């Protein structure tokens, strides 16, 4: 049997990608020949009305799957865990409001699974809950409002995170922030910023001067490591994701921030096997050969540096409660629900398959980390 055929690009998608390409080319020309990769990624993913996340479907019909798209079990586990946390924080005692803030809600599926479980299992809490979706895009708000029509009285929207007491959650959000790449030049003993230029009507990588903004990050790389680092080694960092997390921490009056994503911890930051960085493009569940081709048509993403996110939260006054694999985190929560005699949800064969996807090391269990930080 041959490999499955690669689907054709739909004419509308191609037209959107061509328009984004045209706009990026104009910007490159205006700026004298190059833009930083972070700017290219920002326009490719988020250009209003055109960018990848203004159109993307997530799941089997899209380009990639997530814990959310694997089925309702993920939202159900989170809803039960939220009840535990709200109780511990004193947010279930009247007149407090149990608040759950979700960022990166995309089409609202997780919110529907979460609120569906609460309504069926904890109607007393479901009546009082405040589910706040932080969503800057009008397009995605429209999708979310449709998915969540039956929960209209429980859901609110905001462009940015307000001051809140409760839990802020995001799944696969931090990996979607535009990132910076820097390439080591061993002979010149210096870093070049990865830029994007145009050659023969195609986007190609180019060298740009490393901006002062990134100096602190690059200066933090130990001398002993630079002495042995081969030329061409790429380091990536995501100032946008770090600033967003620090901002969320400052908005948190009481409670916790919780993020699920693929990534690595501090000790693994400079692992030799990752000398080309972790930037990837995905289209129809396949890795893209060229991350600069077809902007707006493919997903662009990179591993989250959990060491730096953790530091950003701690610098903003949070305490790290846990940083562990998704397998470990969800298994602990499942075990606690069994011990407490609270059957989470009937474990049908479909839910067993979802549990496998969420927790098995070859699916989301091992590569995904869960960071929980709390305002003490
Ligand atoms: C990889 S998708 C994950 C979607 C969903 N959480 C899931 O797990 O299926 C990332 C989502 O985050 C959204 N996003 C990116 N930056 C954002 C921001 N600053 N605030 C809210 N959402 C954002 C993207 O538009 C996209 O919908």
């Amino acid at each position: 049997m041959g490999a499955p055929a690669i689907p054709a690009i739909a004419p509308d998608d191609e037209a959107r990608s061509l328009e984004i390409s045209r706009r990026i080319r104009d910007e490159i020309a205006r700026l004298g020949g190059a833009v930083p990769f972070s700017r290219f990624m920002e326009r490719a993913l988020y250009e209003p009305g055109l960018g990848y996340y203004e159109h993307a479907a997530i799941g089997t019909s899209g380009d990639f799957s997530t814990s959310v798209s694997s089925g309702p079990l993920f939202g159900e586990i989170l809803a039960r865990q939220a009840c535990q946390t709200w109780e511990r924080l004193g947010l279930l005692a009247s007149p407090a409001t149990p608040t759950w803030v979700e960022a990166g809600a995309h089409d609202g599926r997780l919110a529907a699974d979460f609120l569906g479980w609460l309504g069926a299992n904890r109607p007393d809490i479901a009546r009082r809950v405040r589910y706040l979706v932080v969503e800057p895009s009008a397009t995605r708000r429209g999708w979310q409002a449709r998915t969540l029509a039956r929960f209209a009285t429980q859901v609110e929207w905001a462009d940015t995170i307000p001051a809140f007491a409760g839990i802020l959650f995001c799944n696969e959000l931090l990996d979607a922030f535009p990132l910076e790449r820097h390439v080591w030049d061993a002979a010149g003993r210096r870093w070049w910023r990865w830029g994007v230029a145009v050659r023969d009507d195609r986007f190609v990588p180019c060298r740009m001067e490393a901006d002062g903004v990134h100096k602190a990050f690059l200066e933090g790389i130990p001398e002993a490591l630079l002495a042995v680092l081969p030329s061409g080694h790429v380091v990536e960092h995501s100032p946008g994701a770090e600033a967003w997390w620090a901002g969320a921490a400052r908005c948190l009056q009481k409670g916790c921030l919780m993020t699920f994503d693929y990534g690595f911890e501090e000790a693994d930051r400079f692992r030799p096997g990752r000398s080309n960085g972790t930037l990837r493009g995905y289209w129809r569940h396949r890795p893209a050969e060229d991350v600069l081709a077809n902007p707006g048509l493919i997903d662009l993403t990179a591993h989250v540096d959990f060491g730096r996110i953790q530091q950003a939260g701690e610098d903003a006054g949070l305490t790290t409660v846990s940083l562990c694999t998704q397998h470990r985190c969800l298994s602990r929560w499942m075990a606690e629900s069994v011990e407490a005699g609270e059957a989470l949800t009937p474990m049908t064969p479909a839910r067993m398959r979802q549990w496998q996807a969420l927790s098995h090391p070859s699916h989301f269990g091992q590569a995904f980390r869960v960071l929980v930080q709390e305002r003490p």
Side-chain angles (χ1 to χ4, degrees), residues 358-369:
L358 294 175
S359 64
H360 196 277
S362 64
H363 293 271
F364 298 115
Q366 183 65 34
F368 276 65
R369 298 283 185 282

Side-chain angles (χ1 to χ4, degrees), residues 46 53 58 64 66 68-69 102-106 134-136 140 171-173 175-177 244:
Y46 302 111
Y53 279 118
I58 297 178
F64 60 91
T66 64
V68 175
S69 72
E102 186 188 358
H106 201 67
V134 177
E135 181 53 79
R140 293 192 297 273
N171 187 61
E172 293 205 33
L173 167 67
D175 70 76
F177 273 85
W244 186 87

Side-chain angles (χ1 to χ4, degrees), residues 1 5 62 83 103 110 124 129 131 156 197 211 215-216 226 258 294-295 333 359 364 367:
M1 202 168 69
C83 294
L110 179 101
D124 50 325
V129 78
Y131 198 113
E156 295 167 33
D211 196 302
K215 257 181 120 173
L226 294 180
M258 195 186 282
N294 303 312
W333 290 351
S359 64
F364 298 115

